Amino acid sequence: MEKIFFTPGPAQLYPTVQKHLLEALNQNLGSISHRGKQFQGIFAETTSNLKSLLGIPEGFNIYFTGSATEIWEKSLSSCAGKSSFHFVNGSFSKKYFEFSKDLGLTAHKAEAPMGEGFDISKIEIPSEVEMICCTQNETSTGVQMPVADIHSLKDRYSDKLVFVDAVSSIPHPVFDWSKVDSVLFSVQKAFGMPAGLGVWIVNQKTIDIAKALKAQGHKATPYHNLLSLVENGAKNETPATPNTLYIYLLGKIVADMLGKGVENIRKETSQKANLIYDFCAKSEMFDPFVKHLAHRSETVVVANTKAPAAGIIESLKKENIVLGAGYGTYKDSQVRIANFPALSVENVELMLEKLKKLPA
Ligand SMILES: *Cc1c(COP(=O)(O)O)cnc(C)c1O
């Protein structure tokens, strides 16, 4: 029997992945040149579909990398000469912060305990900071930063770049593109693809700042930096030989999502999240980790378990349902349940039925 993956990445594949992957092989996309018309057409189609899905206006460009982690590094190295600021409330946001220190920048942070978010109005960002890095959905703890909070940063700090890691939530959050400068993600979470492709959405201001830094003699990383991506992207190409197969696949999956309608996908995501949180709240065995309702992620639900989490995960595996383990030190006291678009309402109902039948 087929397994259903509720893991938060790599995750359940989007139902049409197999069909598109076969078609890609039939079209010899593993062998075509990345400096030719066919590839440029694929690049253009995928970026255009993403712009439609996410409502991205004129003035933004989209570039491809190997992962989201890579974009953490390239964004800091290309767009900050001295200092960055980070909202740290879990393992992913912490790594973004640490990358800044490792690159020799002055890294500032606001830190919240695991399972908690931020009271953003109380946080002051030092004037030397050039870019503010937000993790919209902290996958390790299931805490989200409400988009309104992210937008408010731009209102208060219009001179600084606002960067958003939306790896495990996009396309769910609805961004006001006049209030964010850059959004990054990778495809093995909510887009339901195998891992191996990062996507970096940037506006002109971000590019202009990278250009100004370069003109001042600032050295960005040589293997991919924003300006090398921009230079090649202008031709619908990439600096190095890219994962053509996945750029194609992403374009097709986004087209399928457009066919379903992004509003419908978002509505369904909220509906499924409600089912999971309701279950956890009523259950004797589970307890939602994130207490503050506005900070609860709709795409990655983290629950404390009364019994050891490993036993619960094992029991569900026997039913061909794969839950995510708790992250790091929470490995044996939490489960993480992904709620991505590849999972249907029926999939979620089935998973909850199995959880209900577990011996208390
Ligand atoms: C998974 C994840 C990443 C890292 O993505 P990679 O594609 O593995 O580099 C970064 N940020 C968040 C919030 C994530 O969930």
Side-chain angles (χ1 to χ4, degrees):
M1 204 185 137
E2 273 186 36
K3 287 192 166 70
I4 309 173
F5 285 83
F6 287 86
T7 43
Q12 177 77 8
L13 295 185
Y14 204 72
T16 53
V17 162
Q18 190 175 18
K19 175 180 92 178
H20 295 311
L21 208 45
L22 281 175
E23 177 58 26
L25 293 172
N26 285 336
Q27 288 187 29
N28 302 308
L29 296 188
S31 308
I32 65 162
S33 164
H34 57 297
R35 302 285 176 227
K37 281 222 155 20
Q38 193 180 2
F39 174 77
Q40 292 162 356
I42 292 168
F43 186 114
E45 182 177 326
T46 299
T47 52
S48 156
N49 288 354
L50 275 169
K51 285 178 183 174
S52 302
L53 186 79
L54 302 171
I56 300 172
E58 286 290 307
F60 277 81
N61 291 315
I62 300 179
Y63 304 108
F64 300 107
T65 66
S67 69
T69 306
E70 188 190 338
I71 306 174
W72 287 343
E73 180 184 295
K74 306 314 172 198
S75 60
L76 290 160
S77 137
S78 304
C79 307
K82 290 193 187 76
S83 176
S84 62
F85 184 92
H86 301 258
F87 288 94
V88 175
N89 63 341
S91 305
F92 290 96
S93 46
K94 186 163 177 228
K95 275 188 204 155
Y96 203 173
F97 165 74
E98 280 170 354
F99 272 35
S100 178
K101 288 195 294 183
D102 288 349
L103 286 165
L105 297 166
T106 305
H108 299 268
K109 66 178 167 177
E111 196 157 14
M114 299 291 260
E116 292 181 27
F118 301 93
D119 181 349
I120 210 128
S121 63
K122 297 219 173 89
I123 291 166
E124 294 295 329
I125 296 177
S127 60
E128 69 163 358
V129 166
E130 298 151 276
M131 70 190 258
I132 304 171
C133 303
C134 310
T135 301
Q136 198 278 324
N137 199 67
E138 179 41 84
T139 319
S140 64
T141 57
V143 176
Q144 70 139 345
M145 249 177 114
V147 282
D149 283 358
I150 294 172
H151 296 156
S152 75
L153 291 168
K154 199 67 187 175
D155 294 331
R156 287 169 64 201
Y157 301 104
S158 59
D159 60 317
K160 306 186 192 309
L161 291 172
V162 175
F163 273 55
V164 187
D165 172 334
V167 175
S168 59
S169 54
I170 202 166
H172 194 56
V174 183
F175 291 112
D176 173 344
W177 294 96
S178 69
K179 302 277 172 75
V180 294
D181 295 292
S182 185
V183 174
L184 64 98
F185 66 95
S186 48
V187 297
Q188 75 277 16
K189 314 253 164 119
F191 283 90
M193 279 178 50
L197 188 69
V199 181
W200 190 4
I201 305 166
V202 294
N203 68 3
Q204 190 59 43
K205 178 173 177 179
T206 307
I207 296 170
D208 290 344
I209 283 177
K211 283 185 178 160
L213 280 171
K214 188 181 180 184
Q216 291 163 23
H218 176 76
K219 292 262 180 283
T221 46
Y223 163 66
H224 282 178
N225 58 64
L226 181 55
L227 296 182
S228 72
L229 290 164
V230 168
E231 188 185 327
N232 288 272
K235 298 175 278 185
N236 287 322
E237 290 181 6
T238 53
T241 318
N243 194 334
T244 302
L245 217 52
Y246 284 7
I247 295 173
Y248 168 88
L249 195 55
L250 178 60
K252 295 299 171 193
I253 286 167
V254 172
D256 293 336
M257 289 182 167
L258 282 165
K260 180 162 179 166
V262 72
E263 280 318 311
N264 293 327
I265 292 173
R266 287 173 177 149
K267 245 187 253 161
E268 213 171 274
T269 299
S270 297
Q271 184 193 350
K272 291 180 295 168
N274 285 338
L275 288 173
I276 301 169
Y277 279 116
D278 279 354
F279 166 80
C280 291
K282 286 180 192 140
S283 157
E284 301 280 298
M285 305 179 67
F286 299 94
D287 179 30
F289 182 42
V290 182
K291 304 296 177 238
H292 188 54
L293 295 185
H295 292 163
R296 275 187 187 169
S297 164
E298 292 194 284
T299 51
V300 180
V301 178
V302 177
N304 295 323
T305 61
K306 303 261 154 66
I312 297 171
I313 290 169
E314 259 327 292
S315 304
L316 269 272
K317 221 174 236 168
K318 290 192 187 117
E319 308 277 357
N320 290 311
I321 288 176
V322 187
L323 300 182
Y327 200 93
T329 51
Y330 292 99
K331 194 170 176 51
D332 214 32
S333 59
Q334 292 184 341
V335 290
R336 290 182 303 152
I337 304 175
N339 174 30
F340 295 148
L343 293 158
S344 65
V345 177
E346 291 72 28
N347 291 154
V348 169
E349 285 171 344
L350 178 71
M351 181 267 298
L352 295 178
E353 276 311 308
K354 303 291 182 193
L355 284 181
K356 272 177 203 156
K357 286 198 188 124
L358 288 180

